[in-house]
Amino acid sequence: MSAVEVLWYVTGVVAVALGLAVSIALHEVGHLVPAKLFGVRVTQYMIGFGPTLASWRRGETEYGFKAVPLGGYVAMIGMLPPPRPGQAPRTASTGFVQQLGRMADAARAQAAEEIRPGDEHRRFIALPVWKRVVIMLGGPFMNLLIALGATALLVTTVGTSQPSTTAAEVYRCVVTADEQRARAAEGGGQDCRPGDPVAPAHEAGLRPGDTVVAFDGRPVSDWDALSAAIRERAGRPTSIEWVRDGERDSATITPRLTQRPVTDAVGRPERAPDGSALTQEVGFIGMGSQIETVRGTPLDAGPLVAQQVRGVVDVVLVLPQRLWDTAVAVVTPAERDPDGPMSVVGVGRIAGEAASLEEATLVDKAALLMSLIAGVNVALMVFNLIPLLPLDGGHVAGALWEAVRRGVARLTGRPDPGPFDLARLLPVTYVVAGAMLVMGVILIVADIVEPVRLF
């Protein structure tokens, strides 16, 4: 790698690191602003964890940076309810349950020490449930806004890659996905062999560079409409029209029913929750779409971010399996899934590789980095919405459970059970925190030893 490439690599890593830091800071602002608007006393707004590097006080809140820049937090008083009146402290014991109980008591006592005279109504726990939910959702909502903003900027300035009705390639034969894998395993390549059926597009006369303008007697101008029509016409003779060098031509084509990979909007293979490639039996003519860069409007950012959210949710739903696959890829020749989870080390590595691409223009590099920032914020949003403590979703789930308990008590004429005590879930919090630490270590090791390669 030349000195210039190294410089670009470092620039990409630094750029995405700054973008991640700003995203984390704004995530915490999403908690801070509604908390202050609702009158909660916020004692700290910190970026990072561990020892404090620098801090300053504005009013009643301390703002600052900590040594480990892998997160942040907003400290609010009264996150836990105080000990119940007359509740006796737990006696010393070596029992596991008793140990957990004393830890919960200590957490409640520490929270109670933060309360000053006059703060009774400024506690987080004293707010109505809907206000607590708004505060805790403020962070993920801020990540969503960042993702939408970055994507909208990308769509309106650089544009997005979209498949067109112009043929990038026209296959000479039809080979099923299973047969392709079998031939690849044999080392014989995927070239056509005697006996392979001729691809309908090649047989009809289509060639690379031709632009399909009509199918089944209907005008088509985008790939989604054309591919949907092809899928539905398997086994049935259908008219097709195309333009080549300004001349219009036509033929009759019969799409073949065959097994094809499921792809997303930019032609990437989609995967099932277990990581295997998705396939489906559809009509197929043997034509590959030419990808074009198209500028859009800010409204086009919504569907693109929604697609990213679905992808992250699919990963989260089978996260243990994905982590296992990642660990296996580290110790075996298996390749990592490019759509699987990765750590900040992996994101930084991809940013560096993207920025150091010689053939990429400055605009292309900026677009790739912007896309990475948007994707990281989508991942932060989805991950923080998991309904487990200490994540934001865990606090939301606790508040909603409290609302359900109090609602049931009112309907049944029972006494108000009071605020839900999150201290009782400290064991879950420690387990989740430990699992997150293990996950981080696995992904960091994988991103160093067997990184995801996109370029």
Side-chain angles (χ1 to χ4, degrees):
M1 185 179 289
S2 67
V4 174
E5 289 176 325
V6 170
L7 180 60
W8 273 114
Y9 189 98
V10 173
T11 300
V13 173
V14 171
V16 81
L18 288 175
L20 179 59
V22 170
S23 299
I24 292 172
L26 291 177
H27 174 98
E28 299 306 329
V29 168
H31 296 309
L32 177 71
V33 171
K36 284 186 171 289
L37 287 176
F38 294 148
V40 178
R41 183 159 70 85
V42 179
T43 58
Q44 284 187 318
Y45 168 91
M46 289 289 173
I47 304 302
F49 299 102
T52 301
L53 297 179
S55 68
W56 60 94
R57 182 169 295 277
R58 294 290 183 272
E60 60 189 12
T61 305
E62 179 189 10
Y63 301 84
F65 298 91
K66 290 187 173 287
V68 185
L70 296 178
Y73 65 90
V74 170
M76 297 172 280
I77 67 167
M79 292 287 289
L80 299 175
R84 295 183 180 275
Q87 180 178 358
R90 299 174 191 265
T91 57
S93 172
T94 58
F96 180 69
V97 174
Q98 286 76 12
Q99 291 280 358
L100 293 177
R102 287 204 305 276
M103 292 169 61
D105 290 343
R108 295 188 196 97
Q110 183 178 359
E113 290 176 358
E114 300 174 340
I115 311 300
R116 303 181 307 198
D119 280 345
E120 289 75 13
H121 299 292
R122 302 191 64 192
R123 298 174 301 151
F124 176 80
I125 200 70
L127 293 177
V129 167
W130 72 269
K131 289 186 177 182
R132 279 181 271 160
V133 170
V134 168
I135 291 174
M136 299 316 300
L137 290 182
F141 180 70
M142 186 65 75
N143 292 129
L144 176 60
L145 290 182
I146 296 171
L148 287 171
T151 305
L153 181 62
L154 184 64
V155 168
T156 55
T157 57
V158 180
T160 57
S161 298
Q162 297 181 10
S164 67
T165 60
T166 300
E169 52 185 339
V170 177
Y171 307 112
R172 297 185 59 187
C173 61
V174 178
V175 181
T176 66
D178 290 338
E179 181 63 23
Q180 289 178 10
R181 286 192 289 270
R183 293 183 184 182
E186 295 171 359
Q190 300 178 5
D191 295 334
C192 293
R193 298 180 180 179
D196 289 341
V198 179
H202 189 274
E203 188 176 35
L206 274 167
R207 296 296 180 265
D210 294 348
T211 300
V212 177
V213 293
F215 188 84
D216 194 22
R218 303 171 186 172
V220 290
S221 58
D222 66 86
W223 177 252
D224 288 341
L226 175 59
S227 59
I230 292 172
R231 287 195 296 267
E232 296 172 356
R233 298 290 298 179
R236 291 184 285 177
T238 306
S239 64
I240 185 172
E241 299 179 35
W242 65 89
V243 173
R244 178 188 302 165
D245 299 328
E247 298 292 331
R248 197 179 185 103
D249 204 350
S250 63
T252 298
I253 192 171
T254 303
R256 296 181 62 90
L257 182 65
T258 188
Q259 187 183 65
R260 303 304 301 169
V262 179
T263 58
D264 61 17
V266 294
R268 296 175 302 189
E270 292 190 354
R271 297 182 179 275
D274 62 359
S276 62
L278 286 176
T279 60
Q280 58 183 344
E281 287 194 340
V282 296
F284 173 74
I285 66 173
M287 166 185 162
S289 171
Q290 182 173 299
I291 304 299
E292 297 179 348
T293 300
V294 180
R295 291 185 181 180
T297 69
L299 296 178
D300 295 324
L304 292 174
V305 171
Q307 182 182 13
Q308 288 182 309
V309 170
R310 287 194 296 270
V312 175
V313 169
D314 287 343
V315 172
V316 169
L317 290 177
V318 289
L319 190 55
Q321 179 63 46
R322 291 299 184 93
L323 287 174
W324 174 258
D325 293 341
T326 300
V328 169
V330 173
V331 297
T332 67
E335 293 186 1
R336 285 184 63 185
D337 179 4
D339 296 322
M342 68 177 68
S343 70
V344 291
V345 173
V347 174
R349 192 164 188 162
I350 290 176
E353 292 175 354
S356 60
L357 289 174
E358 291 185 2
E359 63 273 18
T361 66
L362 182 60
V363 173
D364 291 335
K365 294 176 181 180
L368 285 168
L369 293 175
M370 188 73 68
S371 178
L372 273 177
I373 294 298
V376 166
N377 274 276
V378 169
L380 286 173
M381 179 192 71
V382 174
F383 193 74
N384 271 285
L385 289 177
I386 296 175
L388 294 172
L389 291 172
L391 301 171
D392 297 335
H395 290 278
V396 172
L400 295 178
W401 174 243
E402 176 185 318
V404 170
R405 290 199 317 161
R406 285 181 154 174
V408 171
R410 283 194 300 270
L411 291 175
T412 58
R414 297 178 181 177
D416 185 351
F420 178 64
D421 189 1
L422 289 176
R424 297 169 59 185
L425 298 181
L426 277 178
V428 176
T429 304
Y430 295 140
V431 169
V432 173
M436 291 170 59
L437 178 61
V438 171
M439 178 181 70
V441 171
I442 291 174
L443 293 179
I444 288 174
V445 171
D447 289 332
I448 294 173
V449 176
E450 185 64 29
V452 172
R453 306 185 186 278
L454 299 181
F455 306 101

